[in-house]
Amino acid sequence: MAALGAVLAASQVQALDRIDFSVAQGDGTLTEALRNASLLVAAERDDQTDPQDLFAAAQADYAQLLGTLYAAGHYSGIITIKIDGREAAGIAPLDAPRKIGVIAVAIDPGPAFRFSRADIAPLARGTDLPEEFAVGQVAESGAIRSAATAGIDGWRDRGHAKAAATGQDITADHRSATLSARLVLTPGPKLRFGPLIVEGQERMRLDRIRAIAGLPTGQTFSPGELDLAATRLRRTGVFKSVTLAEADTITAPDLLPITATVVEDKTRRYSLGAEVASFDGVTLSGYWLHRNLLGGAERLRVYGEVANLGAQASGTDYTLGVTLDRPATFTPDTTVGIIAEIGHVDDLDYSADTASVGLTATQIFSTELTARTGLTYDYSKGRDGVSDFEFRNISVPLGLTWDRRDDPVSATRGFYLEAEAKPFLGFDTTDSGVRLSWDARAYRGFGSDRFVLAARLQGGAIYGASLLGTPRGELFHSGGGGSVRGQPYNSLGIDVLRINNETSRIGGTFYLGSQLEARVRVTEKIGIVGFYDFGQVGINGFFDDQTNSHAGAGLGLRYDTGFGPIRLDVAQPVGGTTGEGVQIYVGLGQAF
């Protein structure tokens, strides 16, 4: 009984009846902002009942709510917070209540003040001030801070790294509900980049860190160049963290040293992946990576894939390859590498052993735009439905990628464009020509991105080489998860009349494909997708008489794991003659 009494007494001490929160003459936006800022509202939401915690939240709420009023331009607001009828600000900490029943928060925002003066000087030429920092606009405190930041950034963009706000005159006139704001900036001297000092490196060589960063020592200071140097170091994958800090002091006459503090990550990592399709079987893939092979951020990658395990209409494909890439070769934004790969293809139309070796070069123009080229020797030997073949050629692929998606894993806005021109020179029975291909994707979200329309258009063409003189792996097919769901993998091609009136099916020299998805997020984790896919393959053009086409449609389920959605698609043919029945696809990430 004594124990039960103690429990009841404790629950009585910590009982909280309610928290009343009211805003006089406040619009919905301001009321919502105040509620979101209130520590007491957060405590009620989290079911906190301890009197000490509630008392501390009440006393801290004055500053929280006042800052929110200032941010909305209300400088004459009145805030009262009463704990069981007593003003929280008047309760001494040692007199904190042992029991709290009702907390009443009442806010009178007062009128929204407007700028009667909005000056900031001196400004660098070309500085863009925020539109809200102007006479007649609501005098939000954030507008003043944004104006100061814009003014400082304007000077920093012109090389004045130590620009600062050194004075302010801000006066509120409560009778007219206006605010006079005058800010003073001090640009400081125009500076140049000094030496790059590196701290924290263990295995990375100092000369390679400086080469990768590409900081233009001796040139005029630029915040953009400073950010770009940090980005270059991060994208090597060698470092867990990278920070670049400007020195507090200037080295005579006008040099500003920069300190790079880095923390190196583990040198090795591996990845495994799997996709399942009911007709095409299982695809297993993986790679092993060394991020810093020789101490200069050289990336050695060994990768492999086994595809179409248990496929109903084709054999098993496999690939084994190795790449070695070296960043900051020739320029800080140029990566040069070598690649070697062997494989076996057992497709519906043909089977072949393949091998390739080559050099690659990638130029990063920005976070959105990348170009690539290379020199590759390709070899394939196998048999199609009629005869043996052997192809040998050298190619010079030229590619460009423009990525404006908001999220590469599950985009809701933006677009993605990839195009490649691949001239190739054939030997012996291999023709010469050029292979063109492209992949365009666009995304548009509606209703806070709970509904997303996603569209994809793929295509390709081969010019200069005959159909039978083109390496089989360069020809175009359609069907499967990457093109037309509901149709078997690479099931659409061209029927060709061969020697002795025998007919065989191979890929085409012209291809068009499209995919359209409507994605709806049902909950924060679960989404559903409706989709329609179309593909066509031809030999004399995109729309000639010998062009074949097919289509598929279906529904999908997505579950967001935090690092990418798990994808389940169920599709069936809705056009063409290459497949029948239902196809099921399971994988990680959106279809495109």
Side-chain angles (χ1 to χ4, degrees):
M1 289 295 293
L4 178 60
V7 170
L8 291 175
S11 64
Q12 236 180 9
V13 167
Q14 296 192 9
L16 175 66
D17 186 11
R18 68 183 187 277
I19 294 178
D20 295 331
F21 194 98
S22 63
V23 180
Q25 300 177 355
D27 60 28
T29 301
L30 178 60
T31 299
E32 185 66 19
L34 289 166
R35 289 186 62 85
N36 289 337
S38 171
L39 298 176
L40 284 169
V41 171
E44 183 182 40
R45 190 183 303 117
D46 296 339
D47 295 325
Q48 292 185 16
T49 58
D50 182 75
Q52 289 289 342
D53 292 340
L54 293 171
F55 175 63
Q59 291 202 316
D61 242 1
Y62 290 100
Q64 288 283 113
L65 298 173
L66 188 63
T68 304
L69 288 175
Y70 284 0
H74 295 265
Y75 295 93
S76 60
I78 300 173
I79 302 169
T80 61
I81 302 176
K82 293 187 177 182
I83 300 176
D84 291 328
R86 300 169 63 193
E87 190 68 39
I91 302 175
L94 296 179
D95 193 26
R98 297 183 60 240
K99 183 176 73 170
I100 296 177
V102 177
I103 301 177
V105 181
I107 304 168
D108 182 358
F113 282 49
R114 294 186 177 272
F115 285 113
S116 61
R117 180 182 185 182
D119 294 337
I120 178 170
L123 290 174
R125 189 170 63 254
T127 300
D128 290 326
L129 293 177
E131 294 181 358
E132 57 269 22
F133 186 73
V135 173
Q137 296 291 328
V138 175
E140 299 174 352
S141 61
I144 301 174
R145 288 192 295 269
S146 296
T149 299
I152 293 170
D153 289 345
W155 283 114
R156 283 174 58 83
D157 288 340
R158 292 188 168 272
H160 298 260
K162 297 302 181 182
T166 55
Q168 65 177 28
D169 181 7
I170 299 176
T171 305
D173 186 335
H174 291 267
R175 290 175 300 177
S176 60
T178 58
L179 189 78
S180 171
R182 176 178 174 271
L183 306 178
V184 178
L185 303 180
T186 300
K190 189 173 185 177
L191 302 176
R192 295 179 296 146
F193 280 115
L196 179 63
I197 302 164
V198 182
E199 298 178 352
Q201 82 284 358
E202 298 176 4
R203 295 173 291 272
M204 276 286 289
R205 303 194 309 271
L206 284 175
D207 63 316
R208 286 295 294 153
I209 292 178
R210 294 190 175 104
I212 293 169
L215 198 70
T217 300
Q219 296 185 19
T220 301
F221 171 86
S222 165
E225 287 289 348
L226 195 64
D227 292 341
L228 182 56
T231 298
R232 289 168 177 153
L233 291 171
R234 293 188 187 106
R235 73 187 178 206
T236 63
V238 173
F239 306 107
K240 283 183 179 178
S241 67
V242 175
T243 57
L244 265 63
E246 305 160 24
D248 293 330
T249 58
I250 301 170
T251 301
D254 59 353
L255 294 178
L256 182 65
I258 305 295
T259 298
T261 304
V262 299
V263 178
E264 294 184 14
D265 206 343
K266 295 179 180 179
T267 57
R268 298 169 180 84
R269 66 170 295 185
Y270 65 89
S271 174
L272 299 173
E275 290 196 10
V276 181
S278 57
F279 189 89
D280 305 326
V282 178
T283 296
L284 301 176
S285 60
Y287 68 81
W288 176 88
L289 176 70
H290 195 300
R291 312 175 205 254
N292 191 18
L293 186 65
L294 304 175
E298 300 86 0
R299 295 167 64 89
L300 175 66
R301 183 172 180 264
V302 180
Y303 61 92
E305 180 181 274
V306 180
N308 300 334
L309 283 168
Q312 298 182 32
S314 63
T316 301
D317 302 342
Y318 65 79
T319 303
L320 179 63
V322 59
T323 62
L324 179 61
D325 295 321
R326 182 180 187 270
T329 303
F330 306 131
T331 79
D333 295 309
T334 306
T335 297
V336 173
I338 58 175
I339 180 172
E341 182 179 286
I342 60 173
H344 176 76
V345 179
D346 192 349
D347 212 339
L348 288 168
D349 303 335
Y350 72 97
S351 63
D353 295 317
T354 64
S356 64
V357 62
L359 302 174
T360 62
T362 302
Q363 180 69 35
I364 301 174
F365 296 108
S366 69
T367 56
E368 299 173 347
L369 189 62
T370 303
R372 62 190 180 278
T373 187
L375 178 65
T376 305
Y377 173 79
D378 296 299
Y379 173 82
S380 64
K381 183 177 181 179
R383 181 177 178 83
D384 58 26
V386 174
S387 62
D388 295 334
F389 60 77
E390 183 178 69
F391 294 105
R392 297 185 297 122
N393 68 275
I394 291 177
S395 62
V396 183
L398 303 167
L400 192 68
T401 300
W402 190 12
D403 191 349
R404 294 288 303 274
R405 295 173 294 182
D406 60 344
D407 183 352
V409 177
S410 184
T412 60
R413 295 180 183 276
F415 62 84
Y416 172 91
L417 296 174
E418 183 175 19
E420 182 181 80
K422 185 179 181 180
F424 57 91
L425 174 65
F427 302 101
D428 296 332
T429 59
T430 308
D431 288 347
S432 300
V434 59
R435 184 183 193 269
L436 307 177
S437 61
W438 63 88
D439 183 355
R441 313 173 191 180
Y443 309 86
R444 177 66 186 273
F446 302 89
S448 300
D449 296 335
R450 298 193 71 87
F451 176 71
V452 177
L453 284 178
R456 183 184 193 183
L457 179 64
Q458 298 170 284
I462 296 173
Y463 294 100
S466 66
L467 180 66
L468 297 180
T470 301
R472 295 293 186 266
E474 302 292 351
L475 297 175
F476 299 102
H477 294 79
S478 181
S483 55
V484 178
R485 287 161 288 185
Q487 301 286 354
Y489 175 71
N490 279 2
S491 57
L492 184 66
I494 297 294
D495 292 326
V496 181
L497 185 64
R498 305 284 290 278
I499 301 173
N500 299 326
N501 291 325
E502 293 185 78
T503 300
S504 66
R505 171 164 292 188
I506 62 176
T509 51
F510 290 85
Y511 166 69
L512 279 179
S514 61
Q515 295 174 296
L516 181 65
E517 288 194 348
R519 305 170 182 173
V520 180
R521 193 170 74 245
V522 180
T523 69
E524 291 302 313
K525 293 288 186 181
I526 298 175
I528 57 175
V529 175
F531 57 86
Y532 175 84
D533 301 341
F534 172 83
Q536 67 176 40
V537 177
I539 56 174
N540 294 320
F542 291 110
F543 304 103
D544 70 335
D545 294 339
Q546 299 185 47
T547 295
N548 298 323
S549 65
H550 62 179
L555 296 173
L557 182 67
R558 305 290 185 266
Y559 180 79
D560 188 3
T561 63
F563 54 85
I566 295 176
R567 179 178 78 254
L568 170 64
D569 286 336
V570 180
Q572 67 177 13
V574 295
T577 60
T578 55
E580 58 183 18
V582 173
Q583 308 285 335
I584 300 174
Y585 306 87
V586 179
L588 182 62
Q590 297 284 5
F592 62 92

